[in-house]
Amino acid sequence: MAGANELHGLFEAWVRETPDRPAVITERARLTYGELGVGANRLACHLLQRGLGPGETVVVCTDQVPDLLVALMGVLKAGGAYAVVGPHQPTGHIGQLLEEAGANTVLTHERFRPSVDDGAGRIVVCLDTDADVIDAYSPEPPAAPCGATAAVLFSAGTTGRHRTVPAGHARLRAVFGSWAEVFGLRPSDVHLVTAPADTAAFTYGWIRALCSGGTLVLPEGETGPALWGRPFSEGVTVLDTDPVTARSLLDGSVPVGLRLVAVGGERLALDEQVRLQGRAAPGARLLNVYGPVEVTGCGTWFETDQLSGPVAEPGLVSLLGRPFPGCRAEVRKGEIWLTSPGDDGAFPTGDAGTLWEDGLLEFGGRLAHRVRVRGRTVDPHRAEAALAAHPRIRESVITTVDEDRLVAYVVPTAPSVSPGADAIRMHLTGVVPDQEIPAQVVTLGALPRNRAGKVDRRLLPLPAQRAASGGLNGKGGGATAPGPYGFLYGMGCVMLVVALPLAVLLTDVFWPGSTDLTYVPAPWSWLFRGLYAAEFLTFSVGLAFLVAGRPLMRRQGRSRGLTTAAHLAIVWLLVSWWPQDNFYRLAAKTDWERQAALVYVFNVPLMIAAVVVAVYVTRRPGTAATE
């Protein structure tokens, strides 16, 4: 039986009180509270029989929604902590997430077994093929000790690697109390949660629904305006979603009974929140909810009723509002710090913010999205907000390419009304400094997003090379403008031409006699001449790559630190053969002091350089932390 402080105790209370009430509804299935409780009890007994200990993490990897909820509840009732991993990912990435979650047990379906059973000795329970064994256990809840952690959540990973964040029973119960107070949760509510199951937002959604006695409605396919017309979504009173899906659903035929829309993930501009609020039924509430996974999604909330008066330029303002009950929000040196209910420590969110005199918190952009352009730090947040307020632009992202030029990626409201570069320049002039106006514009049908619905800047396509002078900031004309990196490319070509003959001339100056082939017979002398020519050419290529190679490598999307290390490693792999071989040719075989020195000056660094290049090549773009 669940204890008084355990998260699933809230759910079990509703199982006892309303066993026949619908708990989970999808297009193809529905479970009552009683059916969900019995299925979870039997699975919990099976997990305990397989040796699951208190607090051990169990990964749930399936796309079958009803079974997934049974699995989550079963893990909690067995005293474990769950982590959800999406099955439709590269096998190697699934294995990495299993390692990061620290799981020794996996719940899945038979068709996903090859993706999760990597031979590491984990216990794999298939919810379909093991169903007869599981169903043989008692339908009563087991008496199992419970660990402190209820769930292991994954951060969205938009600015680096996914981080695992443990969420304890005590915290989740505390944040549920905060959500229940602000949202006004009722047992009669029908919650439509659109977040994918392997995101933290899904955990928040099911807790709000099932711990308050409500009904959880989960779409199993794409969402859109047509979702409201499907029978399984009838009677929805609470919509829990992200801004993109909210726009899509609220621009359709909105159900009259919809009383609350909670929007999380990306931020909403004030003017759009007002517009979406107007699309809902009279009296319905629309909340902009803010809180990263480190505070279990419970930080601040905003609705337009919190405003004390009109706001100038609402299209440029995104308000995060006030803290949830039990939470604290501070701004320290321009960065937002949050404290969730039941926690003593504050967490830096990585977001800039401003605290208004009336206590409202304003979002000021991601600190990690600030970029360096020609030695200048640029914060694209205000320009992005200004572009999003353009009547012909739905969304926008501004970032840098090669630390040389700002590029704006815009999604027009319709393909036929995409604004031109001149219109965008005019729109931003006077809003941001001229140096922060993008030099190039790329039109997209949609911005790339991750599973959590957040824009993933690492997946933005590389723009075409500039052909016109100066891009948006130029004065016109058709001349090619090489820019600072064009200058570096030119210098690289000069280095390639100059270094080759220079290396030939300096060889006999630095290493007299090292290339003397007087007593070497043919054809061996020609083989050695070919070796010397290759060394000269490689040295020249290395110097050219030192000057001009890094901008090309930066276009691959990997982190600056890894790119710099790989750039220098490649340079060393190219330039070191010329001096190394000349030193070796003049060193006596028994000159152990010189031989050891050459090994540690050349050979060992070459090995290290090769390892660095291997890491760079095998590391997927965006998996290293963004600087």
Side-chain angles (χ1 to χ4, degrees):
M1 296 291 291
N5 295 321
E6 294 167 4
L7 175 66
H8 51 286
L10 298 170
F11 164 75
E12 285 189 1
W14 293 106
V15 172
R16 294 190 296 270
E17 184 173 338
T18 57
D20 296 328
R21 176 181 295 165
V24 182
I25 297 177
T26 71
E27 291 188 76
R28 294 178 291 182
R30 65 174 55 209
L31 289 177
T32 65
Y33 271 86
E35 292 169 336
L36 179 55
V38 167
N41 292 339
R42 287 173 167 156
L43 178 59
C45 293
H46 182 66
L47 291 174
L48 291 170
Q49 183 66 33
R50 297 294 297 266
L52 183 70
E56 289 187 14
T57 301
V58 178
V59 161
V60 180
C61 184
T62 181
D63 60 356
Q64 299 299 302
V65 176
D67 288 349
L68 186 139
L69 266 299
V70 171
L72 300 188
M73 290 299 182
V75 172
L76 293 175
K77 286 171 175 269
Y82 74 81
V84 181
V85 172
H88 303 293
Q89 303 183 62
T91 302
H93 188 49
I94 292 178
Q96 179 183 342
L97 294 176
L98 292 176
E99 290 288 343
E100 293 177 358
N104 293 319
T105 304
V106 182
L107 300 179
T108 187
H109 281 82
E110 186 64 39
R111 69 180 182 277
F112 300 128
R113 178 190 283 271
S115 299
V116 300
D117 193 356
D118 56 2
R122 295 186 182 88
I123 297 172
V124 179
V125 177
C126 293
L127 300 173
D128 47 359
T129 55
D130 293 335
D132 291 341
V133 176
I134 296 171
D135 289 344
Y137 286 96
S138 169
E140 298 300 320
C146 190
T149 302
V152 177
L153 307 177
F154 293 99
S155 65
T158 54
T159 59
R161 296 175 65 91
H162 292 279
R163 296 186 305 278
T164 55
V165 180
H169 285 270
R171 180 194 285 187
L172 289 172
R173 285 185 68 117
V175 299
F176 168 74
S178 297
W179 290 328
E181 181 176 343
V182 171
F183 291 8
L185 299 178
R186 312 164 184 170
S188 58
D189 277 328
V190 178
H191 301 248
L192 174 59
V193 177
T194 64
D198 56 347
T199 63
F202 178 84
T203 285
Y204 311 150
W206 82 251
I207 290 175
R208 288 194 280 257
L210 299 184
C211 291
S212 64
T215 299
L216 179 64
V217 175
L218 298 172
E220 296 181 89
E222 295 295 324
T223 60
L227 182 63
W228 295 132
R230 300 177 192 172
F232 82 104
S233 66
E234 293 179 359
V236 169
T237 61
V238 177
L239 171 60
D240 194 328
T241 190
D242 58 87
V244 174
T245 308
R247 295 183 195 110
S248 175
L249 291 175
L250 294 181
D251 283 340
S253 178
V254 184
V256 176
L258 185 67
R259 70 170 189 85
L260 177 69
V261 179
V263 181
E266 295 287 346
R267 308 275 55 84
L268 279 175
L270 179 57
D271 64 341
E272 175 140 34
Q273 184 164 351
V274 171
R275 186 186 72 82
L276 293 178
Q277 175 81 60
R279 293 291 305 150
R285 302 169 63 198
L286 190 145
L287 308 184
N288 187 10
V289 180
Y290 170 73
V293 66
E294 286 80 1
V295 293
T296 325
C298 188
T300 66
W301 62 284
F302 173 75
E303 61 180 329
T304 56
D305 287 349
Q306 294 177 2
L307 290 172
S308 57
V311 175
E313 299 182 301
L316 302 182
V317 175
S318 176
L319 289 174
L320 305 179
R322 306 184 186 279
F324 278 91
C327 297
R328 293 197 309 274
E330 309 169 73
V331 177
R332 303 179 184 177
K333 297 181 179 180
E335 182 178 8
I336 300 172
W337 288 62
L338 295 177
T339 303
S340 63
D343 280 358
D344 295 327
F347 170 77
T349 63
D351 293 329
T354 303
L355 198 60
W356 289 11
E357 291 182 359
D358 59 1
L360 293 182
L361 183 64
E362 179 184 354
F363 179 71
R366 277 300 275 173
L367 297 178
H369 293 164
R370 295 178 178 177
V371 294
R372 296 282 293 177
V373 181
R374 303 182 184 180
R376 174 190 177 96
T377 299
V378 174
D379 185 351
H381 171 68
R382 186 167 178 82
E384 288 176 347
L387 287 184
H390 192 286
R392 289 189 287 169
I393 296 178
R394 179 178 292 113
E395 294 181 289
S396 70
V397 163
I398 297 175
T399 187
T400 185
V401 175
D402 297 341
E403 300 181 10
D404 175 30
R405 53 192 163 125
L406 286 172
V407 178
Y409 294 85
V410 299
V411 178
T413 54
S416 60
V417 298
S418 178
D422 291 340
I424 288 178
R425 174 176 173 78
M426 292 179 60
H427 187 72
L428 292 179
T429 299
V431 178
V432 297
D434 288 347
Q435 301 94 323
E436 298 183 9
I437 295 178
Q440 192 169 356
V441 176
V442 177
T443 301
L444 300 176
L447 294 177
R449 296 181 181 274
N450 60 18
R451 296 276 293 167
K454 295 186 176 182
V455 175
D456 195 336
R457 297 174 184 238
R458 301 166 302 176
L459 300 181
L460 291 168
L462 291 173
Q465 288 294 108
R466 291 174 298 177
S469 176
L472 286 185
N473 289 320
K475 303 299 182 182
T480 299
Y485 282 107
F487 172 76
L488 290 180
Y489 299 149
M491 287 298 296
C493 295
V494 171
M495 190 67 69
L496 182 63
V497 173
V498 172
L500 182 59
L502 191 63
V504 175
L505 294 174
L506 292 179
T507 299
D508 287 333
V509 175
F510 293 141
W511 303 282
S514 66
T515 57
D516 186 3
L517 298 173
T518 302
Y519 300 104
V520 178
W524 310 113
S525 60
W526 289 105
L527 292 177
F528 282 108
R529 287 189 176 94
L531 172 63
Y532 302 157
E535 291 173 355
F536 297 147
L537 181 60
T538 304
F539 176 77
S540 304
V541 171
L543 290 183
F545 195 78
L546 174 65
V547 174
R550 191 174 185 276
L552 296 174
M553 297 179 68
R554 282 290 294 144
R555 292 172 66 88
Q556 303 306 310
R558 294 169 177 86
S559 71
R560 291 185 178 91
L562 180 59
T563 299
T564 299
H567 174 231
L568 296 177
I570 293 172
V571 170
W572 182 249
L573 287 169
L574 291 170
V575 304
S576 63
W577 295 105
W578 174 56
Q580 175 188 234
D581 281 1
N582 282 291
F583 276 122
Y584 269 120
R585 283 192 287 267
L586 295 177
K589 292 183 179 180
T590 56
D591 189 348
W592 307 119
E593 182 178 357
R594 178 173 293 187
Q595 291 284 353
L598 291 174
V599 166
Y600 281 93
V601 170
F602 290 104
N603 294 41
V604 172
L606 283 171
M607 299 174 195
I608 297 173
V611 171
V612 171
V613 173
V615 172
Y616 176 83
V617 171
T618 56
R619 181 68 62 89
R620 293 184 305 154
T623 56
T626 303
E627 296 180 359

